[in-house]
Amino acid sequence: MFLLHLQNLGINPANIGFSTLTMESDKFICIREKVGEQAQVVIIDMSDPTTPIRRPISAESAIMNPASKVIALKVDRKVSQPIEGHAAAFAEFKIEGNSKPSTLFCFAVRSPAGGKLHVIEVGQPAAGNQPFVKKAVDVFFPPEAQTDFPVAMQIGTKHGVIYLITKYGYIHMYDLESGVCIYMNRISADTIFVTAPHEPSSGIIGVNKKGQVLSVCVEEDNIVNYATNVLQNPDLGLRMAIRSNLAGAEELFARKFNTLFAQGSYAEAAKVAASAPKGILRTSDTIRKFQSVPAQPGQASPLLQYFGILLDQGQLNKFESLELCRPVLQQGRKQLLEKWLKEDKLECSEELGDLVKTADPTLALSVYLRANVPNKVIQCFAETGQFQKIVLYAKKVGYTPDWIFLLRSVMRVSPEQGLQFSQMLVQDEEPLANINQIVDVFMENSLIQQCTSFLLDALKNNRPAEGHLQTRLLEMNLIHAPQVADAILGNQMFTHYDRAHIAQLCEKAGLLQRALEHYTDLYDIKRAVVHTHLLNPEWLVNFFGSLSVEDSVECLRAMLSANIRQNLQLCVQVASKYHEQLGTQSLVELFESFKSYEGLFYFLGSIVNFSQDPDVHFKYIQAACKTGQIKEVERICRESNCYNPERVKNFLKEAKLTDQLPLIIVCDRFDFVHDLVLYLYRNNLQKYIEIYVQKVNPSRIPAVIGGLLDVDCSEDVIKNLIMVVRGQFSTDELVAEVEKRNSTAAITSHFAWSRFPVDVCNENSLFKSEARYLVRRKDPELWANVLEENSPFRRQLIDQVVQTALSETQDPEEVSVTVKAFMTADLPNELIELLEKIVLDNSVFSEHRNLQNLLILTAIKADRTRVMEYINRLDNYDAPDIANIAISNELYEEAFAIFRKFDVNTSAIQVLIEHIGNLDRAYEFAERCNEPAVWSQLARAQLQKDLVKEAIDSYIKADDPSAYMEVVQAAGRNNNWEDLVKFLQMARKKARESYVETELIFALAKTNRLSELEEFVSGPNNAHIQQVGDRCYEEGMYDAAKLLYNNVSNFARLASTLVHLGEYQAAVDSGRKANSTRTWKEVCFACVDGKEFRLAQICGLHIVIHADELEELISYYQDRGYFEELIALLEAALGLERAHMGMFTELAILYSKFKPQKMREHLELFWSRVNIPKVLRAAEQAHLWGELVFLYDKYEEYDNAIITMMNHPTDAWKEGQFKDIIAKVANVELYYKALQFYLDYKPLLINDLLLVLSPRLDHTRTVSFFSKVNQLPLVKPYLRSVQNHNNKGVNEALNNLLTEEEDYQGLRASIDAYDNFDNITLAQRLEKHELIEFRRIAAYLYKGNNRWKQSVELCKKDRLYKDAMQYAAESKDAELAEKLLQWFLEEGKQECFAASLFACYDLLHPDVVLELAWRHNIMDFAMPYFIQVMREYLTKVDKLDASESLRKEEEQVAEPTPIVFGQQLMLTAGPSAVPPQANFPYGYTAPGFTQPPVYGFNM
């Protein structure tokens, strides 16, 4: 077949040659060529020959590796030793009847004598093999190619064909076994200089000088017919058909089989049927034929012989397997079946599996697996409890069983395994079975816990379509395990279930909180919410936030109606928290409707400080009174500015409290003194009047006195009041009050104005008139005189000026002169009095700015105690300047009052913060003015004082986020996270700063507001979520970290977080997404610690594939004692694509420590994939001697294997294994130790061992060994088996044994067959033997050693006449024969004498015989001898006479004869044709030769 032309690929013809082109296989051709000065190597891949690869490589030789693209270069030439011959090749060939292939060497040589092909065996034949008979056949070269010679040889291993290529392009094909020439022809006109085996066709491929790539192979369809019909060699055709399993010889095999079967040669017929190609005779008919033949006694049945031959050759087919296994199972020899399956001797089928299943379901499973019967495999998995393998197997083979039926079967056996099985059914995106049906199976068996585990895993994705299953899950747990249902609902895993139905079930189960979370109907909510003792108070309060206003009020009403004492506190909390939404008025009415003043008091008490609603304050006062909280009534009456005074006054009067102080405070504050006095006096509460004027407000005594006068109170009482208070009130006012009620008291004396001089006034104490005079005069000098310090009347005058004169004037100039006069006189205190009169007493100058400024400044310098009063009472002064002056004089309260009064609130609060340092007052001030700037200043101050909560509240009220960084830092230091959330939420509304949003997320996490957190991160934001997640993780806030990592898809950290949360399943899912070894390890170890071994195994499968991580994983499991789980993990990992040696090795070591019973099976399956030295150490430490031997065997440490078996025979020794391994040991001494071991341990099996060792034993040493231990009789079978070696020691030992056993026949056979022993010694010993047969053998031995005389003498002694005559005749010694005759005569044995005459006929002299016969008168016995002698002599005489007559006749013949006769000369005769030889088909003939010339001569 033409494959390729190298020149078409650009190969230079000059480079196509033996020295530059190499082809080591049919895969690559390698050519060295030179293009210009550049040397290169061209590589042609025969799978893609059109794209040769060129590489700039300089080398003297280049060849390609047949298995991979590796090129070998040779640069330095070395001298090599040539091999004589032209072409050669090695072959592995299995001769029929041999168990192992033989190594053959084929070589061809052309010499002057002709061509020869030699096939010889290399080395010693393998144990049990017959040696290959050397072949040497002629290689025919046609006449036109007489100078041709072989150049290449390849072996077609598949067909057993030798391909011989010659220089002239001829191909010769020979049968490798017989050397018969199959075919010869010329395939190329040019020399094929390189060849290689062609694997696809089992032929050859070659390249000729033209660059053509050619291939030659056997045509399988015709080769058998060709050998049979064309070559007329049916045996060759049969052999090739058998050898290569070829068609074409069917009739031959069928005929041969039928013939042998008919002849009763069943064993031979079985061999023919087994070896027939294509299995043409391996049919059910053949089996039936053998079954029909009865077994002979003491012999195996023909059918078993047939099966035995088939098993030796390979695998049985379906019918054969069934027929063989049926009787084997009936006999209970299951181990044979296991052995055949392990050796792959049986064709597995469903029928075979059914047959085996009755005996061993596990073995049947193996059969079904091999036969690929999915339904039966799955059935067996279920029956043998291997449920976890069912799903994996079904997926692998693409089979869909009835999963629900299987699940029911599993459930009946083990609910836990049923759970695992069900989880496997739904672990993929598309579940293998309907989840509803799976749940039904669980419920049929009342497996609530397992069903819950299954559904939690199956429904983890919370899909809408699974809503009914979510409902079902919750329903079953609410009925049977409410705590579990509560946990499920608490985790908020599901959102698509029937909420109304679940709510009802929650209520029935006592989970009222969950019921309320799900109820939407007000009737249901009211029914459940009243049982507050079963609800978490904090949760219930928050729950009201999810209700509408109307529903909330109705629920509160229901709670109060059901049990007001039990539910009141909670109702108050709800009302307090949601009063803005629910409406204060409606809440008040609610409490009032139940006459619950206590509830009303506590409710209003929580809001009254922040409310400016008069009604709220009034209701609070009212509720406090009803509940006896007098102190609180007193406080509100004093501090509140929001209530209606009239209304409160009237209520307090009607309330008739035991303590009238609240009424006093209200009346005092709002100028109801007169009413107060009347009420107290008329109700005999005079003591409270005293309390009022003494402790509450003494300045109010004029009004009190007026009221008392109105009710005609006694003068004594009034005098006592005035005496008690003394000087703390205005006398003028008192007088005015009195005057109003008594006209006589109002009469005053009027002095005449005619007495103006000051002195007159002084003398007469008319200071009032003097004062008026001075004011009106407006004379500074006069003022200076009267205001002199030494003036005795100065004080009285000043009093009158202040009290009367200036208050009466309306002239600004008069006032100005008077004030200046006081200032000039340096009378600050008196000036204050003066200015007070002018400014404060509602004069026309009250609003004069300068006067007010002067009054305040004077007070600052002279009487600071009065500054505050002036500040409060005056309104028209320069507030900022005055306030700053006050601050500089450390009058901070006064400065604060100024700023507050004039609404310079920022400055006011600055004074409170910086100068007064009272943040509580600052807070109250800020609350009253409620300005952002004020709140901001307060917030900064509070923050500096580390009042974080207060600062945050202030910033929020200021709506000022500017200091967010400082707030965040301070809140973090003080753990004010709740407040920080509020602040950051406010800040986020102002500006979406990344920092703000990041810290808001963290604060939400710290406050555990996970729902808000999730909502936040789900929406648009600029936060650094990853960073926050890391912070949460580091601080142990794993729930929050879970949400955050999930949001940013950081599955590695998410998995770590879930591990800390104990959500192992979710952690595994995240680990799968992260697909990081570190993550897998963390999750796996956590699952191990949490005893979630199923999940740990899932993680472990992703770890063990990394050899570097395997040791740590194993240590983690082992340190915690989880050996079973670790083994299960590694077992599951063995099927992974990336399974490596370390996994198999470590599992083997674990088996050795914890499950030694499984180690052997593991090693048998995976010995090639384990680190044998490491496992060897483990097996040795565990004393698993059988496994240790197995490993030594596979590691080819046969010596150690044998030593182990001998040292621990109970555990390690197995006969077949021992014999297999002992044949491979390198240390010969072990053979003899093994023999000693067998003698000690299994003496009856020693011959089997010797049979195995016989090719390698030194038989002489072996015999010596057994002789020393006196056990030669035990090894007699061995001696017989090796006697064919004709070893002297063996022969002598066996001969001695036969002698001792008195087996003369065996001894004689041994002597006859094997002669290498000391004949004489044995003869001498036998000569003395008591049995005649042994003495006869001694004579035989003497005869064999030419000791004829001893031999005959011994025969004579034992009367062995025949032997004596035979030995005498064989000796050719006439003397010995004659002596024997004489002895016979002496013994009177005339018959023996006559017999000897014929036995020794050639040795005896007739005269001696005649003499002896005559002398002993036995002529009758000698007569036959003499007759024969006479006949012999007469015959000789006749022959001489005839010869003489013939000679005379010839002498008389005288006719002449021609010189030349016979055939014509060679010169004139044409060449005689020689028919073609059978060995050279296709028209080629052997060389023709003429017959030799015949030459004649005349004599």
Side-chain angles (χ1 to χ4, degrees), residues 180-252:
V180 172
C181 179
I182 301 173
Y183 179 76
M184 185 192 79
N185 202 348
R186 190 169 192 177
I187 60 173
S188 173
D190 299 280
T191 300
I192 299 173
F193 60 88
V194 63
T195 62
H198 190 244
E199 291 183 5
S201 63
S202 191
I204 65 169
I205 184 172
V207 182
N208 65 13
K209 293 293 287 183
K210 284 186 177 180
Q212 295 176 327
V213 182
L214 310 170
S215 73
V216 178
C217 66
V218 168
E219 190 175 351
E220 294 186 343
D221 294 337
N222 297 322
I223 185 64
V224 174
N225 288 331
Y226 172 78
T228 303
N229 301 324
V230 178
L231 299 182
Q232 295 296 311
N233 194 337
D235 289 339
L236 176 61
L238 283 172
R239 284 198 304 273
M240 293 194 74
I242 295 171
R243 184 188 308 147
S244 305
N245 196 23
L246 301 176
E250 290 82 355
E251 293 183 6
L252 293 173

Side-chain angles (χ1 to χ4, degrees), residues 1320-1385:
I1320 302 304
T1321 301
L1322 179 60
Q1324 290 173 348
R1325 196 166 87 239
L1326 294 177
E1327 184 178 354
K1328 300 171 184 177
H1329 202 282
E1330 61 183 6
L1331 295 180
I1332 188 172
E1333 287 295 339
F1334 287 97
R1335 297 197 296 274
R1336 184 178 182 187
I1337 293 171
Y1340 177 74
L1341 290 172
Y1342 282 134
K1343 182 268 295 188
N1345 286 273
N1346 294 327
R1347 295 195 177 188
W1348 307 102
K1349 184 175 180 181
Q1350 286 178 272
S1351 176
V1352 172
E1353 288 299 326
L1354 191 56
C1355 290
K1356 290 195 292 186
K1357 186 184 298 183
D1358 289 327
R1359 300 292 190 247
L1360 299 173
Y1361 306 127
K1362 181 179 178 181
D1363 292 348
M1365 290 184 281
Q1366 182 181 347
Y1367 298 158
E1370 291 177 4
S1371 68
K1372 304 300 182 183
D1373 185 349
E1375 182 181 355
L1376 182 60
E1378 291 174 357
K1379 286 183 178 180
L1380 180 60
L1381 285 176
Q1382 291 176 0
W1383 183 79
F1384 279 139
L1385 292 175

Side-chain angles (χ1 to χ4, degrees), residues 706-928:
L708 291 174
L709 289 175
D710 289 341
V711 293
D712 297 327
C713 180
S714 67
E715 291 184 2
D716 294 336
V717 173
I718 295 172
K719 289 179 180 178
N720 289 334
L721 283 177
I722 294 173
M723 291 302 293
V724 169
V725 177
R726 268 195 192 179
Q728 298 180 23
F729 58 88
S730 171
T731 306
D732 291 342
E733 290 180 4
L734 178 61
V735 171
E737 290 291 333
V738 173
E739 285 178 349
K740 288 178 185 178
R741 292 164 176 79
N742 188 354
S743 60
T744 57
I747 298 174
T748 57
S749 296
H750 297 277
F751 296 103
W753 287 98
S754 59
R755 299 176 64 186
F756 288 108
V758 174
D759 294 336
V760 174
C761 291
N762 289 334
E763 289 174 2
N764 295 285
S765 300
L766 299 173
F767 299 114
K768 184 182 294 185
S769 299
E770 183 181 3
R772 292 180 179 137
Y773 173 75
L774 289 171
V775 169
R776 291 173 182 158
R777 282 287 302 268
K778 299 180 283 187
D779 185 356
E781 293 180 0
L782 184 59
W783 276 113
N785 289 327
V786 297
L787 294 178
E788 288 181 355
E789 184 177 359
N790 55 5
S791 173
F793 306 106
R794 188 175 70 171
R795 179 69 258 174
Q796 294 86 337
L797 177 62
I798 291 173
D799 290 339
Q800 291 303 316
V801 170
V802 172
Q803 294 293 329
T804 306
L806 277 182
S807 62
E808 293 176 351
T809 184
Q810 294 184 357
D811 185 357
E813 187 177 357
E814 290 178 357
V815 173
S816 176
V817 171
T818 303
V819 169
K820 289 179 181 178
F822 274 75
M823 293 175 66
T824 302
D826 192 21
L827 298 170
N829 293 322
E830 289 77 2
L831 179 60
I832 290 172
E833 293 179 23
L834 175 65
L835 290 174
E836 279 185 345
K837 193 64 178 177
I838 297 171
V839 175
L840 299 180
D841 284 354
N842 296 322
S843 68
V844 294
F845 304 107
S846 297
E847 300 298 322
H848 196 282
R849 179 179 294 275
N850 292 332
L851 289 177
Q852 291 187 4
N853 289 339
L854 181 60
L855 175 57
I856 296 171
L857 291 174
T858 303
I860 290 173
K861 292 179 181 179
D863 188 0
R864 295 187 175 189
T865 60
R866 309 181 73 174
V867 174
M868 183 62 74
E869 180 185 357
Y870 301 152
I871 289 171
N872 291 332
R873 297 185 66 178
L874 301 178
D875 298 317
N876 192 24
Y877 51 87
D878 296 326
D881 297 334
I882 296 297
N884 290 329
I885 292 171
I887 291 171
S888 63
N889 286 274
E890 298 182 354
L891 296 175
Y892 304 125
E893 290 289 349
E894 289 78 358
F896 167 71
I898 294 170
F899 286 133
R900 180 180 63 181
K901 184 168 185 176
F902 289 91
D903 292 330
V904 187
N905 295 323
T906 54
S907 298
I909 199 163
Q910 186 175 358
V911 171
L912 287 173
I913 293 169
E914 295 180 2
H915 301 292
I916 298 176
N918 191 331
L919 293 183
D920 292 337
R921 287 182 60 194
Y923 174 78
E924 292 175 0
F925 174 74
E927 194 173 44
R928 281 198 298 273

Side-chain angles (χ1 to χ4, degrees), residues 128 202 223 267 307 333 464 476 486 574 597 602 653 662 719 741 796 808 906 1027 1076 1174 1225 1284 1391 1400 1484:
S202 191
I223 185 64
F307 284 142
R333 303 175 69 184
M476 70 176 69
D486 186 37
V574 173
Y597 294 105
Y602 287 116
K653 288 166 68 177
K719 289 179 180 178
R741 292 164 176 79
Q796 294 86 337
E808 293 176 351
T906 54
Q1027 174 189 340
S1076 160
K1174 192 172 182 180
V1225 299
N1284 57 354
E1391 295 83 355
C1400 304
Y1484 283 91

